[in-house]
């Protein structure tokens, strides 16, 4: 049995469904002894493979003694892994280091990345350096996750943004583009917790007194999420950088088309799920992009089958990760540490 320790703790009701479903898949996989994260296990327990998702969570947080202690523990954990031959595997949710981190966090994360033996990428378009071994395990869908929740009828002219509201997700440009549309029958709903109060205030100011725009600036539970998505004719996710997006797969899992940036990842996704589901815009989102996508959605509605998501079944995720762990163990303990690429700040989130 391969003893696998994840970097995320035991899931809670507010945990990302991707993590919850992955934990289930890994617990069901043959040959794995899977455990969620605790410092006790990381420092004292048996760990053959440490599987990291967002390692910055382990070293970040508000400045203060607790953060300093976590950073010391993180350093001790990595040293223990090196001494005992534990292999580090990381899922590439983010292409680069987060923005605004401290020099200590930057050092620890760069050091951690240097000792990472294997990477899991979530789509077939991720480009990694040739000296970084990797396995592809496609991001799973959410059809089963949302199966028991009631859906709404689509509201004519409704556009929606769902998910955590962050600057890199382009919600400001969405509000500005929508404001440029004069049609009183259109409406826009933005649902999700904002990263800062300042961003929420900025979005409200951009919306002005337009009664067609509504905000739900708070954590959105599954029932609210399903309601917000299924009330929309079109889900708009105008991320400035989009590589993988749980929001896109949420909308597709609920049979709602999406408008997203035109890039290789989204073009491949469009081919995978079938015509009429993934609509693309180039450069900065504009009002014309919204109208064009909405017209295309309406014209193809009657002939459009459900999105094809059969390549993203969760039952495959466990065995595919187990195979990645075995490859990491076969090669990782023999490979010298690789010089880390010079880190660049980026807001490219894969969530």
């Amino acid at each position: 049995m391969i003893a696998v320790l994840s970097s995320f703790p035991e899931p809670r009701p507010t945990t990302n469904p991707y993590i919850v479903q992955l934990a289930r898949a890994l617990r069901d996989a043959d040959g794995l002894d899977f455990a969620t994260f605790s410092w006790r296990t990381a420092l004292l327990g048996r760990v053959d493979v440490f599987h990291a998702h967002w390692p910055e969570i382990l070293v970040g947080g508000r400045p203060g003694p607790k953060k300093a202690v976590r950073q010391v523990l993180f350093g001790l954990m990595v040293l223990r892994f090196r001494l005992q031959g534990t292999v580090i595997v990381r899922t590439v949710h983010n292409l680069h280091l987060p923005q605004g981190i401290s020099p200590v966090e930057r050092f620890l994360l760069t050091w951690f990345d240097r000792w990472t033996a294997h990477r899991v990428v979530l789509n077939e378009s991720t480009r990694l350096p040739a000296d970084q071994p990797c396995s592809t395990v496609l991001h799973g869908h959410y059809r089963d996750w949302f199966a028991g929740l009631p859906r709404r009828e689509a509201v004519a002219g409704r556009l929606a943004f769902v998910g955590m509201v962050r600057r890199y997700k382009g919600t400001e440009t969405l509000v500005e583009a929508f404001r440029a549309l004069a049609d009183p029958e259109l409406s826009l709903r933005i649902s999700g917790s904002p990263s800062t109060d300042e961003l929420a205030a900025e979005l409200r100011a951009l919306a002005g007194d337009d009664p067609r725009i509504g905000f739900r600036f708070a954590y959105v539970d599954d029932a609210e999420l399903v309601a917000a998505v299924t009330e929309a004719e079109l889900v708009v996710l105008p991320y400035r950088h989009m590589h993988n997006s749980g929001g896109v797969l949420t909308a597709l899992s609920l049979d709602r088309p999406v408008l997203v940036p035109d890039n290789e990842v989204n073009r491949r996704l469009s081919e995978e799920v079938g015509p009429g589901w993934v609509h693309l815009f180039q450069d900065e989102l504009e009002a014309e992009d919204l109208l064009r996508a909405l017209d295309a959605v309406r014209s193809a509605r009657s002939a459009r089958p459900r999105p094809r998501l059969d390549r993203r079944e969760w039952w495959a995720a466990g065995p595919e990760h187990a195979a990645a762990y075995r490859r990491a163990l076969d090669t990782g303990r023999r490979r010298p540490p690789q010089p880390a690429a010079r880190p660049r700040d980026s807001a490219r989130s894969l969530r």
Side-chain angles (χ1 to χ4, degrees):
M1 296 285 283
I2 301 173
V4 178
L5 178 66
S6 71
S7 66
F8 55 82
E10 193 65 22
R12 298 176 296 177
T14 56
T15 298
N16 183 337
Y18 168 85
I19 290 298
V20 179
Q21 293 182 102
L22 177 60
R24 292 174 181 170
L26 294 176
R27 285 191 168 110
D28 291 341
D30 292 336
L32 299 185
D33 180 12
F34 171 78
T36 53
F37 186 81
S38 74
W39 287 113
R40 176 180 292 275
T41 304
L43 295 171
L44 300 174
R46 177 194 162 200
V47 183
D48 297 318
V49 174
F50 179 67
H51 185 175
H53 288 269
W54 294 277
E56 59 269 23
I57 294 175
L58 296 177
V59 299
R62 294 181 178 179
K66 289 184 179 180
K67 179 178 179 179
V69 169
R70 282 199 304 274
Q71 291 174 347
V72 171
L73 293 176
F74 183 86
L76 292 173
M77 177 185 74
V78 176
L79 285 174
R80 179 185 186 240
F81 290 165
R82 294 312 308 154
L83 291 172
Q84 296 196 348
T86 297
V87 170
I88 297 174
V89 174
R90 183 171 70 87
T91 293
V92 185
H93 292 283
N94 302 295
L95 295 176
H96 303 291
L97 293 179
Q99 290 181 326
I101 61 176
S102 70
V104 173
E105 290 170 85
R106 181 183 297 274
F107 168 80
L108 289 172
L109 293 173
T110 303
W111 182 50
F112 180 84
D113 193 65
R114 183 185 182 194
W115 287 108
T116 297
H118 200 85
R119 289 162 176 81
V120 174
V121 296
L122 299 175
N123 68 63
E124 295 157 330
S125 299
T126 301
R127 301 285 184 263
L128 296 179
D131 62 351
Q132 293 184 0
C134 69
S135 301
T136 300
V137 182
L138 295 182
H139 191 308
H141 63 66
Y142 297 115
R143 278 181 175 159
D144 300 330
W145 184 262
F146 295 127
L149 297 173
R151 302 187 182 195
R152 304 280 182 88
E153 291 293 325
V155 176
R158 172 65 54 83
L159 308 178
F161 173 97
V162 294
M164 293 183 290
V165 181
R166 303 290 185 263
R167 287 201 178 274
Y168 77 87
K169 294 187 177 183
T171 43
E172 310 99 298
T173 62
L174 172 56
V175 172
E176 290 174 328
F178 183 85
R179 287 287 318 259
L181 301 174
D183 188 345
E185 301 301 317
L186 298 178
S187 60
L188 171 65
R189 295 293 181 270
I190 294 177
S191 304
S193 180
S195 57
T196 64
D197 293 338
E198 291 75 17
L199 177 56
E202 181 179 336
L203 290 169
R204 288 195 176 99
L206 289 172
D209 59 357
D210 192 330
R212 303 172 301 164
I213 303 176
F215 298 102
R216 169 78 167 108
F217 285 141
Y219 167 75
V220 178
D221 65 22
D222 289 341
E224 290 179 285
L225 178 64
V226 171
V229 170
T230 55
E231 282 183 347
E233 278 198 277
L234 176 69
V235 174
V236 185
L237 301 173
Y239 294 16
R240 295 186 173 94
H241 306 287
M242 179 176 281
H243 193 71
N244 283 305
S245 170
V248 172
L249 288 171
T250 293
L252 296 175
S253 297
L254 292 168
D255 302 329
R256 288 299 183 266
V258 295
L259 175 62
V260 292
D262 185 354
N263 60 30
E264 180 184 353
V265 172
N266 290 332
R267 287 192 293 271
R268 284 197 176 196
L269 181 62
S270 178
E271 294 173 0
E272 176 188 342
V273 302
W277 290 106
V278 178
H279 302 269
L280 305 173
F281 69 90
Q282 296 182 348
D283 303 320
E284 195 90 344
L285 179 72
E286 297 181 355
E288 292 76 12
D289 298 314
L290 299 175
L291 289 180
R292 174 181 48 79
L294 192 55
D295 288 343
V297 166
R298 289 171 171 173
S299 65
R301 182 181 296 128
S302 60
R304 189 174 60 222
R306 294 189 80 189
R308 295 193 298 266
L309 298 173
D310 49 288
R311 297 182 65 209
R312 297 173 180 271
E313 298 289 351
W314 280 101
W315 58 261
E320 289 173 353
H321 276 89
Y325 300 152
R326 287 191 291 270
R327 285 194 288 272
L329 288 167
D330 287 343
T331 61
R333 289 171 173 166
R334 298 193 302 268
R335 296 176 71 243
Q338 300 301 304
R342 183 177 179 180
R344 293 180 293 162
D345 283 346
S346 174
R348 297 185 185 182
S349 174
L350 310 190
R351 295 181 65 186

